[in-house]
Amino acid sequence: MREVLRRTFLVMAGVGIIGAALLGGGVPEALAQEEVVVLNAAQLSGTYAETGRDQSRGVKLAIEEFGGTVFGKKIKLIERDVPNPSEAVKKAKEGVEKEGVKFIQVGTSSGVALALMEYAKTQKVVVGVLAGADSITGDACNKYTFRWQVPTYGAIREVVPRIIDMYKANTFFTITPEYVFGQDLLRNTEEVLKEKGKRLLGNVFHPLGETEYSQYITKAMAAKPDCVLFLNFGDDTVNAVKQAVSFGMKKQSKIAIVWGAGLTQYKAMGTKLLEDVIIGGQYDHTVDTPVNKKLIEVYKKKYGELIPYNAASAYQQTLVMLMAIKKAGTTTDTLKVVNAWENMEYNGITGKEVYRPCDHQCIKNYFTLRCKKESEKKFEEDYTELIGASKHFLDCAKTGCKM
Amino acid sequence: MEINLNLVAVQIFNGIVLGMIYVMLAMGLTIVWGMMDIINFSHGFFYTLGAYFAYTFVSVTGNFWLALIVVPVGTALIGMALERTLLRKLYGLNILYQILMTFGIALMGREIIIIIYGPIGKSFFPPRALEGTFFLGSLFFPQYRVFLLLLVALITFGMYLFIEKTKLGSIIRAGTEDKEMVSSLGINVSLVFLLTFGLAMAIAGLSGVLASPMRGINPFMDWNILGICFAVVIIGGMGSFSGAVFGGLIVGVAQSLVGLIWPSASIIIIFIVMSAILLIKPRGLFGVRD
Amino acid sequence: MKRLLKEIRGLLILGIIFFILPFVLPYRALATEVIIFSLAVIAFDLLLGFTGVMMFCQASFFGTSVYLTALSIIHLKASLFLAILIGVAGAAILALILGSMATIRKGSYSVLLTLAFNEMIYFIAYQWKGVTGGDDGLRGIARPPLEIPGLFKVSLASETSFYFLVLFFFLLSFYVIKRIIDSPFGRVLMAIRENEARAEAIGYNARLFKLLAFEICGIFIGLAGALHVLFMNFAHITNVAFDTSGNIVMMELIGGIGTLFGPILGAFLVVLASDKFSAMWARWPLILGGIFVLFVLFARGGIWGIIVSATKRFERSSLSKKVGFHIIAVSKGESDN
């Protein structure tokens, strides 16, 4: 027994070592001094995968538009799939140890972002986060992390007052995902409604990824609110709204979606369903800035389609990160890059944007859109009309961020 | 949150509709389990496949009604092909390998779907004729769901006739009770297995077609539904047709009613009941054998 | 002395391979991942390969330990060994609870019970957000130093130093599990795997032995979990999710059920290949699934089975025939449970 084991084990050992070496590529590569390595940590598989591809495209385009080099060094992009936080940390470790990564863009699940940010801080790696959770520039903030998306405070304070005006709504009902993010949206909604003297008749929580919305819709319709607010996002919103309309919700209440996901979501729901629905968003094609117009053009030329939200946000933040590197004058002293990034005002796709130093949150507009009727559309993807934009952010002291 | 009678009534209706989907899936799962001793971890995958086929078919032809016929045939064919090539080789072995094989099939199938359709969820709408809502006083019932309820009731009745009255049906019925007897009667067991599997996958595919206009389609929907399917079959009783029907309805209604009080718990309650049944009375409510 | 050396020969070889591993792989963290999952999978092999009990609770034990170790560091500022101990203890208690219920039934019913249990644990972790962080997870988990107060203190911040701590635990665990398998207790487990009814007839309480195997498995998977959270400095609900169980099952089958060394190979293959190929192709799980299916069809003895039957030809001793029979029996799936 032992003889066989020993022999086979030695064979296995030999095979194993050689195999590992071959698979692994041997001794870790020396860090290339002629390159600046950027890691795009995107969700290319798993439930958020729709955003991963768009994020990739945005990052690549930004590097191209920037010129592909900085201080004569080539910008090398490596991409890794980060479907869950463990993979994210692992891939970040790989990037830092093996490839010499000093700059990361990560999106879009907050769990993934939070895990990766934490690790990156210990390695002094600059991270641009493309996710909406409040804690990223709140109690989980750190010196090396920056975030573009407007958190729930600003999103609600732009969209809900507009809804109140447009719909002349006095009573509301909310459908919220049972998730920290959903609860943040709800809390902010309750605050704004109270301020405006409007009533929240009730709320229902649903699990993330829910497919069966009948019980929530039943309750919402039973309360007969002027407007039903959908505080969920992505596919959940698509399913919820579709089912709500099939139950006849639109016949008795108005519908609004506060955290829209852009074009892919609109396509999934369709113009008929979305007629006159109000949607909030971080970005839209209708935003009229020269930078945005140019981006839409360039993207269309390269990829043959109207730029989706996740590509636009990734593009914008990657570009800013590269600009910060340039401004700092160094590709290795990341603290200098961080300092350069802070307070650097620029013309972004949503207008004037700047990342403030106290929490590294980008101060930018959040938008309210109205969905067009079929007859109002000028082309296939002309789903929305811009009806509002504004900037609202918590005072630095109130964010819970301590850097 | 006031729970009034209207709310409960609508929820019971929704529960029955949901239950109908479960009934269909459970019928397929239980005949495969009872007849072939296979715990089919890929059952959810065929449901997903049916949904995606329907999406493609409706996108291309715009004809939902035809999809109801074409898609189940498609999933049946694929199911039979897999049975012949992969599952056949494992008969007589420890059930572990069938579990692992069907699990592997589901894993691969999900990836293939993502390759073809992308990882984004898809959706398509019920046919125009069924887009509306029935309002009964202050109660509301989407037309599509009413249609689903009636259609599945019809299909279930059809299945009942098939199982009770046809030759293949009675072989299946006998096989779920006593496999050895059936093979000793000189029946071509391997052909019966093939057809049984095909039939089960046809029903699974059909449930996918029916469910998707309601619930949307995504590559991961198989896992969500699989656990409930197992629970329904266990609760109703493995190998039992009436078990599948009653189990499906009970689970659907329970899920909807629990959803009124504690939505997040509506599915885990099902698992708790399933575990209780497994521990106390594994034969389930109508089970024919242990 | 000679006998002792012979006994631990397998252990020594493993030790050498794992010793040089971090220097051979492209990055240290990868080696840590390989070794942590090797630990989890040999624990599972004890249960499935040697006792014949299939289950899907791996994630429950792994994840519970992850959370408990994390919480003990965050709230109690626990030292290294205490934190690990708390995690393992939690997994052990859970294994006792789940195992005592799962072993009431056999075969497919037992498997389904474990599936339901895993879903329930996931549900609890998801709902109990205040404690587990839900979908956001728990952060701020510092890695305590390795210290004996008064004697020495070694920081484990570097990947390399932490790796060697994990290596220590792995070799220790491997030795313990191997000793269990080679003991009379182990032989009873194998008898239960071969034919539970006969084992009962001889007078063994099969259920009790299965429960004990469940328990041991839970303890070592718990250890893997505790080490994992120290590795990641982050605790997330994916550790309790079914996928974690599924991965361990794949490593086990591909490696070789019931061969103890085989599953380690399985862990190597799955972790290393996933790392390499997922960067090339996001749909890499398709290939992994395909490999898995092929192994279920044609090589149920796993990689180890292939290696052994290949080298078997060069051995003529009767002892090798015995081991060969064992491997062939496993690969033909003739054990009955």
Side-chain angles (χ1 to χ4, degrees):
Chain A
M1 161 87 148
R2 295 223 166 83
E3 285 312 305
V4 176
L5 274 182
R6 184 177 73 94
R7 204 158 296 208
T8 53
F9 212 152
L10 289 172
V11 169
M12 170 197 113
V15 167
I17 297 296
I18 296 171
L22 285 174
L23 266 182
V27 173
E29 293 166 27
L31 304 177
Q33 294 306 313
E34 290 76 40
E35 289 178 332
V36 176
V37 192
V38 174
L39 167 65
N40 177 30
Q43 300 185 272
L44 302 167
S45 60
T47 37
Y48 289 95
E50 58 172 295
T51 68
R53 184 200 59 162
D54 295 340
Q55 180 182 327
S56 275
R57 287 181 171 180
V59 173
K60 285 195 182 106
L61 194 59
I63 295 178
E64 259 174 49
E65 291 293 301
F66 189 78
T69 62
V70 63
F71 310 135
K73 297 186 194 173
K74 181 164 177 296
I75 301 172
K76 178 176 168 190
L77 176 68
I78 60 170
E79 293 202 302
R80 292 289 180 265
D81 180 17
V82 291
N84 62 61
S86 299
E87 281 300 304
V89 174
K90 219 179 88 183
K91 292 290 154 58
K93 290 190 189 206
E94 181 204 351
V96 169
E97 268 187 64
K98 180 180 171 201
E99 307 274 352
V101 163
K102 289 214 180 303
F103 306 99
I104 301 181
Q105 288 287 334
V106 63
T108 50
S109 131
S110 43
V112 163
L114 289 166
L116 196 146
M117 277 163 63
E118 175 105 346
Y119 168 70
K121 179 174 92 173
T122 65
Q123 304 298 311
K124 300 196 179 14
V125 167
V126 181
V127 179
V129 173
L130 296 160
D134 286 5
S135 54
I136 293 170
T137 50
D139 56 23
C141 73
N142 76 55
K143 189 123 186 89
Y144 290 87
T145 301
F146 293 81
R147 187 264 293 272
W148 189 77
Q149 274 76 359
V150 174
T152 61
Y153 181 88
I156 297 291
R157 274 165 187 71
E158 158 54 33
V159 180
V160 175
R162 298 238 187 252
I163 293 172
I164 292 174
D165 278 340
M166 279 222 51
Y167 288 154
K168 312 266 180 285
N170 290 310
T171 57
F172 290 80
F173 195 96
T174 47
I175 296 181
T176 314
E178 181 124 52
Y179 185 42
V180 178
F181 184 71
Q183 281 152 351
D184 288 339
L185 283 172
L186 181 62
R187 194 188 57 244
N188 281 289
T189 303
E190 285 168 337
E191 283 170 16
V192 171
L193 290 179
K194 190 147 165 246
E195 267 172 48
K196 302 271 179 196
K198 305 297 176 191
R199 272 180 39 209
L200 183 62
L201 298 177
N203 170 62
V204 278
F205 281 110
H206 69 81
L208 260 193
E210 174 71 87
T211 46
E212 186 52 54
Y213 287 91
S214 49
Q215 65 251 41
Y216 316 109
I217 294 168
T218 317
K219 284 193 186 154
M221 287 178 72
K224 292 200 184 23
D226 293 335
C227 175
V228 176
L229 291 175
F230 286 81
L231 302 183
N232 49 19
F233 49 91
D235 273 354
D236 287 356
T237 306
V238 173
N239 283 330
V241 170
K242 270 182 71 184
Q243 289 181 27
V245 173
S246 83
F247 272 83
M249 185 183 278
K250 261 176 141 181
K251 290 193 172 66
Q252 49 164 60
S253 311
K254 295 276 188 217
I255 292 182
I257 298 168
V258 311
W259 193 269
L263 209 49
T264 27
Q265 201 182 46
Y266 311 153
K267 280 187 188 151
M269 289 192 274
T271 307
K272 186 140 178 285
L273 204 75
L274 288 174
E275 255 179 40
D276 286 325
V277 170
I278 290 185
I279 303 186
Q282 303 276 355
Y283 165 82
D284 194 73
H285 324 91
T286 52
V287 173
D288 191 5
T289 64
V291 177
N292 192 27
K293 294 247 167 311
K294 175 137 185 290
L295 174 63
I296 292 174
E297 213 183 284
V298 169
Y299 193 92
K300 193 153 209 162
K301 206 152 135 210
K302 185 161 172 139
Y303 294 110
E305 59 174 35
L306 198 50
I307 187 168
Y309 152 63
N310 287 293
S313 62
Y315 171 86
Q316 181 66 82
Q317 188 159 260
T318 307
L319 199 61
V320 176
M321 190 168 77
L322 294 172
M323 281 160 51
I325 296 175
K326 187 156 180 206
K327 183 168 166 218
T330 164
T331 61
T332 45
D333 186 343
T334 47
L335 192 54
K336 274 206 177 129
V337 175
V338 165
N339 291 330
W341 195 330
E342 290 175 352
N343 272 330
M344 182 177 71
E345 207 182 79
Y346 57 92
N347 289 319
I349 52 182
T350 67
K352 280 238 182 307
E353 298 177 8
V354 65
Y355 288 77
R356 67 181 185 186
C358 72
D359 56 1
H360 290 178
Q361 168 67 49
C362 179
I363 306 298
K364 72 180 227 346
N365 280 320
Y366 194 79
F367 302 97
T368 309
L369 312 156
R370 181 191 69 87
C371 293
K372 294 185 174 177
K373 299 196 204 339
E374 188 68 53
S375 48
E376 295 172 283
K377 284 169 75 169
K378 295 200 195 68
F379 54 92
E380 178 60 48
E381 285 157 330
D382 187 21
Y383 289 95
T384 51
E385 179 198 358
L386 189 65
I387 58 174
S390 62
K391 296 176 175 141
H392 301 275
F393 293 89
L394 274 171
D395 292 336
C396 283
K398 297 212 177 98
T399 58
C401 172
K402 291 178 187 38
M403 283 225 231
Chain B
M1 185 94 305
E2 321 99 59
I3 312 277
N4 56 45
L5 230 51
N6 277 346
L7 219 57
V8 175
V10 174
Q11 273 313 91
I12 292 180
F13 165 74
N14 285 325
I16 294 176
V17 172
L18 190 62
M20 286 311 209
I21 301 281
Y22 295 158
V23 167
M24 289 204 51
L25 286 167
M27 287 195 291
L29 193 63
T30 209
I31 59 176
V32 165
W33 194 339
M35 184 71 194
M36 301 162 72
D37 260 340
I38 296 178
I39 302 178
N40 188 5
F41 270 70
S42 66
H43 201 72
F45 165 64
F46 282 89
Y47 164 79
T48 310
L49 200 61
Y52 272 99
F53 277 174
Y55 170 80
T56 304
F57 191 84
V58 171
S59 306
V60 166
T61 67
N63 191 335
F64 178 77
W65 310 106
L66 211 53
L68 290 173
I69 301 176
V70 171
V71 169
V73 171
T75 52
L77 288 173
I78 294 184
M80 292 196 282
L82 287 177
E83 192 270 347
R84 187 108 307 196
T85 53
L86 298 177
L87 292 174
R88 168 146 311 199
K89 307 250 186 329
L90 302 175
Y91 295 148
L93 296 179
N94 193 321
I95 49 137
L96 172 70
Y97 297 106
Q98 282 144 13
I99 293 178
L100 295 179
M101 174 58 83
T102 51
F103 171 70
I105 292 173
L107 190 62
M108 289 181 72
R110 189 181 311 148
E111 293 298 316
I112 294 176
I113 284 184
I114 295 178
I115 292 177
I116 302 177
Y117 291 96
I120 316 171
K122 300 262 184 242
S123 65
F124 66 92
F125 293 89
R128 201 126 294 185
L130 298 170
E131 267 173 5
T133 318
F134 291 127
F135 282 96
L136 228 82
S138 59
L139 301 178
F140 27 82
F141 305 104
Q143 283 177 352
Y144 184 75
R145 291 186 185 222
V146 175
F147 157 73
L148 198 154
L149 201 160
L150 296 172
L151 183 64
V152 176
L154 213 65
I155 293 174
T156 306
F157 184 63
M159 273 294 286
Y160 169 75
L161 289 176
F162 168 77
I163 299 261
E164 290 295 315
K165 309 283 184 216
T166 68
K167 183 161 179 227
L168 182 59
S170 54
I171 294 174
I172 292 178
R173 207 166 7 113
T176 57
E177 288 188 36
D178 191 333
K179 231 192 322 298
E180 268 142 39
M181 266 288 267
V182 166
S183 55
S184 65
L185 287 172
I187 294 168
N188 185 347
V189 176
S190 92
L191 181 62
V192 170
F193 274 18
L194 184 67
L195 294 175
T196 306
F197 200 76
L199 175 65
M201 295 311 111
I203 311 176
L206 183 58
S207 8
V209 181
L210 289 171
S212 37
M214 244 176 30
R215 307 175 68 154
I217 310 171
N218 71 74
F220 307 93
M221 53 199 272
D222 68 324
W223 187 249
N224 298 328
I225 204 108
L226 190 66
I228 300 186
C229 292
F230 285 144
V232 170
V233 169
I234 295 282
I235 293 171
M238 184 265 282
S240 158
F241 179 77
S242 24
V245 175
F246 286 103
L249 289 173
I250 291 173
V251 169
V253 173
Q255 192 182 332
S256 295
L257 289 177
V258 172
L260 272 182
I261 312 167
W262 190 8
S264 319
S266 53
I267 296 201
I268 210 71
I269 296 278
I270 312 287
F271 280 118
I272 293 175
V273 174
M274 168 173 126
S275 305
I277 298 243
L278 277 171
L279 289 171
I280 303 168
K281 187 177 187 248
R283 288 172 75 192
L285 297 172
F286 296 88
V288 289
R289 59 181 165 119
D290 269 318
Chain C
M1 183 61 185
K2 214 167 161 202
R3 239 188 74 185
L4 179 68
L5 269 179
K6 251 194 148 192
E7 292 235 337
I8 61 170
R9 200 192 302 247
L11 191 68
L12 272 178
I13 294 177
L14 266 182
I16 295 171
I17 294 173
F18 276 108
F19 194 92
I20 61 176
L21 192 67
F23 308 106
V24 155
L25 291 182
Y27 58 105
R28 310 264 186 282
L30 192 57
T32 318
E33 176 106 349
V34 169
I35 198 172
I36 288 178
F37 279 100
S38 296
L39 175 57
V41 82
I42 59 175
F44 179 51
D45 198 29
L46 177 77
L47 186 60
L48 177 63
F50 290 91
T51 320
V53 174
M54 173 64 185
M55 60 99 165
F56 280 116
C57 287
Q58 295 85 341
S60 302
F61 305 139
F62 193 85
T64 299
S65 177
V66 161
Y67 280 127
L68 286 173
T69 302
L71 291 167
S72 72
I73 293 179
I74 294 174
H75 297 292
L76 303 175
K77 305 272 183 292
S79 69
L80 183 71
F81 288 112
L82 182 63
I84 294 177
L85 187 67
I86 290 177
V88 173
I93 295 172
L94 188 66
L96 196 63
I97 299 172
L98 298 185
S100 52
M101 287 192 279
T103 49
I104 292 179
R105 296 278 163 232
K106 305 189 180 110
S108 41
Y109 291 145
S110 172
V111 175
L112 284 175
L113 271 172
T114 63
L115 194 66
F117 293 154
N118 205 64
E119 290 299 306
M120 288 183 223
I121 301 287
Y122 183 86
F123 175 77
I124 294 173
Y126 192 84
Q127 292 296 115
W128 209 2
K129 273 191 269 309
V131 165
T132 63
D135 222 38
D136 277 349
L138 296 171
R139 307 177 312 269
I141 305 167
R143 212 180 273 169
L146 173 65
E147 64 176 322
I148 296 177
L151 280 183
F152 68 89
K153 184 173 174 176
V154 175
S155 161
L156 294 169
S158 85
E159 296 292 349
T160 318
S161 52
F162 183 69
Y163 175 82
F164 283 102
L165 178 80
V166 179
L167 176 60
F168 164 72
F169 276 111
F170 171 74
L171 291 175
L172 186 66
S173 306
F174 180 86
Y175 179 69
V176 169
I177 293 177
K178 183 92 180 24
R179 283 297 298 267
I180 290 175
I181 288 170
D182 290 339
S183 73
F185 173 78
R187 279 198 279 283
V188 177
L189 295 182
M190 288 190 260
I192 292 174
R193 177 194 64 200
E194 295 304 320
N195 192 327
E196 187 169 332
R198 204 193 305 146
E200 288 259 329
I202 299 175
Y204 288 113
N205 182 344
R207 193 184 153 212
L208 179 64
F209 279 88
K210 287 201 282 192
L211 176 59
L212 287 170
F214 220 92
E215 186 66 25
I216 299 169
C217 173
I219 288 174
F220 286 102
I221 293 185
L223 179 60
L227 293 169
H228 193 257
V229 71
L230 292 169
F231 169 49
M232 287 274 150
N233 302 104
F234 190 79
H236 192 255
I237 202 168
T238 42
N239 291 315
V240 208
F242 178 80
D243 283 349
T244 302
S245 295
N247 281 336
I248 295 175
V249 170
M250 278 204 282
M251 293 175 199
E252 165 80 355
L253 179 87
I254 291 176
I257 301 177
T259 61
L260 202 63
F261 294 105
I264 298 175
L265 272 180
F268 261 77
L269 181 92
V270 173
V271 173
L272 294 182
S274 293
D275 185 76
K276 180 107 184 154
F277 297 117
S278 65
M280 293 182 195
W281 193 32
R283 304 270 73 79
W284 145 254
L286 176 63
I287 311 260
L288 185 62
I291 293 174
F292 180 72
V293 164
L294 286 174
F295 270 85
V296 174
L297 272 180
F298 302 119
R300 282 180 287 281
I303 301 177
W304 188 253
I306 296 174
I307 293 176
V308 165
S309 54
T311 59
K312 202 171 67 80
R313 282 186 230 128
F314 304 111
E315 293 290 329
R316 275 183 212 124
S317 69
S318 60
L319 285 164
S320 80
K321 287 209 184 71
K322 238 191 242 165
V323 119
F325 283 166
H326 166 72
I327 301 292
I328 291 173
V330 170
S331 65
K332 277 200 184 140
E334 271 157 15
S335 15
D336 151 34
N337 200 332

